[in-house]
Amino acid sequence: MTDITVFQARKIITMNPVQPEATHVAVRDGRVLAVGDLARMQAWGEFTLDARFADDVLMPGLVEGHSHLMAGGLWKFPFVGFHARTAPDGKVWTGCVDFEAVIERLCAIEAAMTDPAAPLLAWGFDPIFFGTERMTVHHLDRVSTTRAVVILHASQHLMNVNTTALAQAEITRDTEIEGIARFDSGEHIGEATGELQEFAAMFPITRLTGNIFRVAGATEEALRMFGQMAQYAGVTTATDLVNDLSDFNHASLAKVTSEPDFPVRLVPAYLSMVEAVGIEAGIARIRERQAMNNDKLHYGLVKIVVDGSIQGFTARVRWPGYFNGAPNGIWILPPAQLKAAIAQFHAAGFQLHIHTNGDEATELAIDAIEAALQTHPRADHRHTLQHCQMADAAQFARMARLGICVNLFANHLYYWGDAHRELTMGPDRAMRMDACGTALAAGVPLAIHSDAPITPLGPLFTAWCAVNRLTSSGKKLGDAECISVADALYAITMGAAFTLSMDHLIGSIDIGKYADFCVLGDDPTAVPPEALKDVPVRGTVIGGRVLALPKIESSKAA
């Protein structure tokens, strides 16, 4: 029996400019052997022809350059977000469009809980959709006054808890941690409202719950749920951009990625925990894990978080600040500590992925990378600014000069674009948010992402956002920043692969690369740009192994 399989398709979009289209691709040992027409395949001798995709379109397996594996495990908990979401099992969770809907859903779940001591955990909430009102303990105490109630915000940079959770975590009016919101008037003045902003303020609660949101995303079951979500989205390579690379996490990752039918290559990034672990210990941990890489598991990236989220008002923004007058955000790492961490990881030879939402945070990150390069020059470092939502033309020009890549959060335009225009950034700056057009014009290597579970995993939708720049209400945010379909497709394949330093392995259908394909029902280059998000994903191929989409168990709404 021949060891060569040739896949036939109506059209193959290769993302290789030397040969942009084909009708056949030959695969041997999990890699691409030949690309072209049938005659070119025949030059390799005997092969097995697989024509199951003869009516479909193949393109490279899509690459999600900024996601989190907890996007699978979070579905163990109820969803209370504003926009409807579909779980991996096909269950549609309707959106909670006001505070009462959130409380009603939580009350129903609490009433069905049998363990009186178990906390009620939920996720996806974002108060920015509800005007100026903020959720407090007064809302969540209606759900329970005897068990802890914890809601993780959609951005994961904030959470809301009830009075019981505050008490169990020993958060009082005397607790001095930045980010604990407090009542500024009335009989409760000075007391915690129950809103906790950023990691330091959330830490007592994560310690109380055993960091269950993230731990639940690291189990074998959760990883398989993530793999199922990736497959539905046509994704064959995805990141986990917050991972401590612990023994527990690695054991799950190593086992699941070794399974022949696991459908996605995973790229975990070590989250620099400077205070908790120390940089030298972190470097040693990364190197230890790199020795354990396999075809579907690629360690080696470092994640550093500079600021918070724009919609949570914890991002660091430059003058004139937040449009609604909110105070500036929070430095996750103090500037001096951030610069030292970037310098040390850079000097050790690692590629950095740096979270910067606000333009003040972006400026600091660029300054830190420039200083690191002056001390330790390094060609092709590919340090990547993640999110980087408010960068302006001058900052993109600096990125280009310094060899910095960018991975822009295009999905934000749809999910939070209206709020950014009206509340956080105002109409002028909102027009240049996630400025894909400016990045490409400046020559900055570009990827775009979903940040799943912050928004749903789906690169074709992300590409649609970058091409059309429409908000959820149908308004366009900045015609000048729209990019072409071709550029958007590049950003979710080769562009993302480049930012992961994996463009020699994935991102295009080219000889020697992994035979990873996304199977589509339509040609994304031929449909109208506004229909890009609706191109159906039929399945995926990873390493030449054809994987049918898993069956959805249920589609009923919750």
Side-chain angles (χ1 to χ4, degrees):
M1 183 176 179
T2 177
D3 60 352
I4 300 174
T5 299
V6 171
F7 293 100
Q8 177 185 350
R10 169 162 56 103
K11 179 180 179 180
I12 299 174
I13 303 169
T14 69
M15 305 308 296
N16 175 7
V18 176
Q19 184 181 18
E21 296 182 10
T23 57
H24 294 75
V25 54
V27 176
R28 186 174 69 190
D29 300 329
R31 295 180 181 262
V32 175
L33 179 66
V35 186
D37 57 15
L38 185 60
R40 193 174 297 181
M41 306 299 108
Q42 292 168 337
W44 285 95
E46 186 180 356
F47 59 80
T48 299
L49 180 65
D50 189 327
R52 76 182 80 185
F53 306 131
D55 296 326
D56 297 317
V57 174
L58 296 185
M59 66 178 294
L62 306 183
V63 182
E64 176 51 82
H66 190 139
S67 59
H68 302 275
L69 293 176
M70 65 188 295
L74 275 181
W75 288 106
K76 293 177 177 291
F77 311 106
F79 175 74
V80 291
F82 182 81
H83 295 281
R85 295 280 283 266
T86 302
D89 64 359
K91 179 179 179 180
V92 177
W93 289 75
T94 56
C96 295
V97 297
D98 53 37
F99 279 19
E100 288 304 312
V102 173
I103 294 166
E104 181 181 350
R105 180 169 293 177
L106 294 177
C107 284
I109 292 166
E110 198 279 335
M113 295 177 70
T114 56
D115 183 352
L120 194 170
L121 308 174
W123 68 284
F125 176 70
D126 194 333
I128 202 168
F129 295 114
F130 309 121
T132 59
E133 185 181 9
R134 308 296 287 189
M135 181 168 280
T136 71
V137 291
H138 302 317
H139 295 97
L140 294 185
D141 285 351
R142 291 169 53 192
V143 178
S144 178
T145 58
T146 59
R147 74 169 78 247
V149 178
V150 180
I151 302 179
L152 183 67
H153 281 216
S155 70
Q156 298 186 33
H157 285 267
L158 297 89
M159 62 173 51
N160 277 93
V161 301
N162 67 344
T163 299
T164 302
L166 289 175
Q168 291 180 359
E170 300 181 346
I171 297 175
T172 70
R173 66 164 54 243
D174 299 320
T175 303
E176 295 184 359
I177 301 176
E178 183 182 16
I180 298 177
R182 301 183 185 278
F183 292 106
D184 56 11
S185 62
E187 61 178 307
H188 300 287
I189 188 169
E191 295 180 2
T193 69
E195 181 174 285
L196 307 173
Q197 304 167 355
E198 296 304 333
F199 305 120
M202 293 189 292
F203 177 73
I205 298 296
T206 58
R207 179 177 55 193
L208 174 70
T209 63
N211 200 15
I212 189 62
F213 287 118
R214 193 157 296 282
V215 171
T219 65
E220 294 175 24
E221 179 189 9
L223 294 180
R224 294 187 185 99
M225 291 169 69
F226 181 89
Q228 181 173 334
M229 295 167 61
Q231 208 178 339
Y232 277 116
V235 172
T236 56
T237 299
T239 58
D240 182 27
L241 277 193
V242 171
N243 199 299
D244 63 4
L245 310 194
S246 64
D247 290 343
F248 173 80
N249 284 357
H250 170 69
S252 298
L253 286 164
K255 180 176 180 180
V256 171
T257 57
S258 68
E259 296 169 357
D261 286 337
F262 186 67
V264 60
R265 304 184 196 279
L266 299 179
V267 189
Y270 173 74
L271 175 65
S272 174
M273 298 171 287
V274 175
E275 295 180 352
V277 176
I279 293 177
E280 288 298 334
I283 289 173
R285 185 178 295 184
I286 301 167
R287 295 202 191 286
E288 178 184 1
R289 295 301 181 218
Q290 283 182 299
M292 304 173 182
N293 282 350
N294 61 49
D295 281 354
K296 291 184 185 174
L297 183 58
H298 295 255
Y299 291 116
L301 304 183
V302 174
K303 172 75 174 290
I304 294 178
V305 181
V306 182
D307 66 342
S309 76
I310 297 173
Q311 70 271 29
F313 299 98
T314 56
R316 295 289 304 194
V317 296
R318 296 188 298 187
W319 185 90
Y322 283 101
F323 186 59
N324 69 344
N328 209 348
I330 295 173
W331 293 116
I332 304 302
L333 277 180
Q337 198 172 11
L338 173 80
K339 289 182 177 180
I342 287 176
Q344 199 163 347
F345 280 113
H346 168 83
F350 292 109
Q351 184 189 0
L352 302 176
H353 286 251
I354 305 172
H355 166 121
T356 69
N357 261 313
D359 47 6
E360 185 181 17
T362 291
E363 191 77 7
L364 177 63
I366 296 173
D367 288 345
I369 293 172
E370 185 171 32
L373 286 167
Q374 289 172 348
T375 304
H376 294 280
R378 199 172 117 204
D380 198 28
H381 55 81
R382 303 194 197 183
H383 298 324
T384 301
L385 300 188
Q386 295 284 344
H387 304 328
C388 199
Q389 297 200 74
M390 293 311 304
D392 62 15
Q395 289 177 325
F396 281 116
R398 285 188 69 197
M399 293 180 219
R401 291 195 298 271
L402 295 169
I404 298 172
C405 307
V406 70
N407 190 350
L408 297 180
F409 198 171
N411 282 19
H412 238 265
L413 298 166
Y414 177 82
Y415 285 101
W416 287 281
D418 292 315
H420 292 320
R421 184 186 64 250
E422 298 164 7
L423 198 62
T424 68
M425 292 291 99
D428 293 318
R429 284 177 293 169
M431 299 286 274
R432 66 169 171 82
M433 290 191 74
D434 299 294
C436 297
T438 298
L440 290 177
V444 178
L446 172 70
I448 51 180
H449 66 267
S450 70
D451 198 12
I454 311 306
T455 68
L457 183 67
L460 289 176
F461 177 82
T462 302
W464 175 87
C465 290
V467 169
N468 295 281
R469 294 184 66 89
L470 294 176
T471 71
S472 59
S473 70
K475 295 181 176 65
K476 179 165 280 193
L477 280 186
D479 282 313
E481 295 296 348
C482 293
I483 62 175
S484 69
V485 170
D487 284 336
L489 294 178
Y490 192 90
I492 61 173
T493 51
M494 281 297 291
F498 186 87
T499 67
L500 302 180
S501 296
M502 292 179 66
D503 51 310
H504 61 300
L505 296 172
I506 60 173
S508 65
I509 300 177
D510 198 1
I511 296 171
K513 292 190 177 185
Y514 291 135
D516 296 351
F517 313 135
C518 172
V519 185
L520 302 174
D522 289 319
D523 180 354
T525 67
V527 301
E530 59 271 18
L532 184 58
K533 64 181 175 61
D534 301 316
V535 172
V537 175
R538 302 285 197 212
T540 56
V541 179
I542 187 162
R545 192 180 186 92
V546 178
L547 300 174
L549 289 180
K551 293 182 180 178
I552 294 178
E553 296 178 4
S554 170
S555 60
K556 67 179 182 179

